[in-house]
Amino acid sequence: MLAQAGRPLDIALRFLDPATQPPGAAVGELHVGRYEDAAALDRFVAGLSHVTFEFENVPVPALERVGRSASVFPPARALAEGSDRLREKAHFQRLGIPVAAHAAVDDPASLAAALATVGLPAVLKTRRSGYDGKGQAVVRTEEEARRALATLGTGLVMERLVPFTRELSALAVRTPQGEVRMWPLVENVHREGILHVSRAPATGLAPGLEEAARGHVTRLVEDLGFVGVMALEMFEEGGRLLANEMAPRVHNSGHWTIEGAETSQFENHLRAGLGLPLGSTAARGHAGMVNLVGTVPPLEALLALEGAHVHLYGKEPRARRKLGHVTVVAATAAERDRRLAAVERLVAGR
Ligand code: AMP
């Protein structure tokens, strides 16, 4: 999607991916190689002016190596700050961004301490390399917590299970000169830890909530000297926002911006990184996005839905894998929801 956004601007992309058939191969030059392979990194970066990433498990040393000869955005520091959930939460708190009660868990003693301070129900998560609900377990009893510790191992964080009203994400883009723009707040529904549906602009926001979100994400990108697109995932609970995690990259909850905003997150990410003027982040109406996870309905059926914009990533189907998404845009939230419901029925096989 980055390459597709770059094409009309004459910005060509080259991809480094350890997989031999990644989606990027269809839209740009592919280098197959491991992020830990110095020679592969050097071949990849030769002749490039800029390097970015859209996957958080890229090792920081790989970015540092390519950063010797190309300009890397977002900064590697953002990746490092977000790569450990405990460090990330401490960072949020330093910036005055509220988070749910949590504690480090490494062994039975720290588990007992966490149970006392955080309470139940809670979520136990691995501090590193978890995504899409991987490496986490909801625990409702002390026995479940002990079992989760045995399964997940060490290096965990226990968080209070937040009985949120809804999940919201703030998507913002920052230029090297410090201009920050935010897309309208996005409302997200997850299933089994994977983003299922996004709606934007989020409706029925309490007064001040959007401004609070803008304040949080702006402080975050300014503190990091960030360049490019950042997503801040939050819970809305009792009219306030609690930060869950940041994604220092173009994010799934911003996929709707391709058709639903004046400028997509992908285009503004490239514009920011290359020092070009940003485009408007205003919504073009009411957008909704449904992820195609695990299986894809027949293309004919998807395209028969009025107003459906279909994006298939060309990935091998596998359980829990994001294989594509469908976006709908409408003049009203009610019409958007009708179109979304039709896509969801098809995706659910109904
Ligand atoms: P994460 O990997 O932290 O993004 O978690 C994936 C999803 O699990 C979130 O989007 C929520 O739907 C849910 N989740 C994670 N942490 C919590 C929590 N502390 N309280 C309630 N739900 C959570």
Side-chain angles (χ1 to χ4, degrees):
M1 288 178 265
L2 280 168
Q4 288 168 336
R7 190 59 270 161
L9 308 181
D10 244 351
I11 301 166
L13 271 77
R14 176 186 296 169
F15 298 98
L16 177 66
D17 201 305
T20 51
Q21 279 298 320
V27 286
E29 181 191 341
L30 174 67
H31 281 225
V32 178
R34 292 169 50 246
Y35 306 127
E36 296 79 8
D37 180 343
L41 290 169
D42 293 347
R43 278 194 301 275
F44 165 71
V45 77
L48 296 183
S49 59
H50 296 77
V51 174
T52 189
F53 51 89
E54 51 85 78
F55 171 63
E56 275 156 68
N57 293 330
V58 174
V60 169
L63 293 179
E64 287 168 349
R65 184 162 187 107
V66 296
R68 292 185 200 163
S69 60
S71 161
V72 173
F73 71 98
R77 186 188 152 212
L79 205 59
E81 285 293 338
S83 65
D84 180 305
R85 290 183 189 271
L86 211 52
R87 180 169 167 188
E88 184 177 28
K89 287 181 202 300
H91 186 202
F92 289 155
Q93 286 178 303
R94 263 201 313 281
L95 297 175
I97 303 172
V99 298
H102 62 278
V105 171
D106 292 294
D107 49 33
S110 48
L111 179 69
L115 283 166
T117 56
V118 176
L120 290 170
V123 191
L124 259 183
K125 300 179 179 178
T126 52
R127 293 209 283 267
R128 295 184 158 274
S129 358
Y131 66 100
D132 282 349
K134 289 180 192 164
Q136 50 183 278
V138 173
V139 294
R140 298 182 186 278
T141 63
E142 295 194 3
E143 176 52 30
E144 280 181 9
R146 277 191 292 274
R147 260 187 274 135
L149 173 64
T151 316
L152 294 172
T154 188
L156 310 178
V157 59
M158 177 182 271
E159 299 172 12
R160 178 173 70 92
L161 182 71
V162 179
F164 51 77
T165 330
R166 58 179 162 178
E167 295 187 78
L168 296 167
S169 61
L171 299 168
V173 58
R174 183 176 180 275
T175 65
Q177 293 76 32
E179 182 186 359
V180 178
R181 294 193 187 196
M182 189 176 94
W183 282 269
L185 267 188
V186 188
E187 182 175 336
N188 297 314
V189 179
H190 289 82
R191 276 195 191 158
E192 296 174 23
I194 302 176
L195 181 62
H196 171 55
V197 167
S198 293
R199 287 179 173 79
T203 50
L205 291 171
L209 210 68
E210 183 130 22
E211 276 321 295
R214 183 185 301 280
H216 295 341
V217 74
T218 301
R219 283 202 298 286
L220 189 58
V221 292
E222 286 180 346
D223 176 75
L224 290 166
F226 197 80
V227 173
V229 170
M230 160 77 82
L232 178 62
E233 294 188 85
M234 296 169 293
F235 302 126
E236 181 185 356
E237 185 197 27
R240 64 182 185 143
L241 297 171
L242 297 173
N244 177 32
E245 62 177 357
M246 65 168 166
R249 57 178 168 89
V250 287
H251 188 252
N252 200 173
S253 66
H255 284 9
W256 64 273
T257 59
I258 297 174
E259 292 89 5
E262 288 293 334
T263 314
S264 78
Q265 61 165 353
F266 301 101
E267 181 171 335
N268 261 347
H269 183 73
L270 295 175
R271 290 193 193 203
L274 274 62
L276 297 166
L278 293 180
S280 163
T281 49
R284 282 177 164 163
H286 295 265
M289 185 226 54
V290 182
N291 260 332
L292 304 175
V293 179
T295 56
V296 177
L299 184 60
E300 293 75 8
L302 285 170
L303 294 179
L305 296 172
E306 192 64 26
H309 301 277
V310 179
H311 297 257
L312 301 180
Y313 309 154
K315 292 183 186 170
E316 274 305 309
R318 198 192 302 150
R320 296 176 55 80
R321 195 173 200 199
K322 291 175 188 147
L323 304 173
H325 72 267
V326 180
T327 300
V328 295
V329 187
T332 64
E335 177 57 22
R336 182 267 323 272
D337 286 341
R338 268 193 293 280
R339 291 183 174 187
L340 260 186
V343 179
E344 284 198 80
R345 272 195 301 278
L346 184 61
V347 169
R350 277 184 272 127

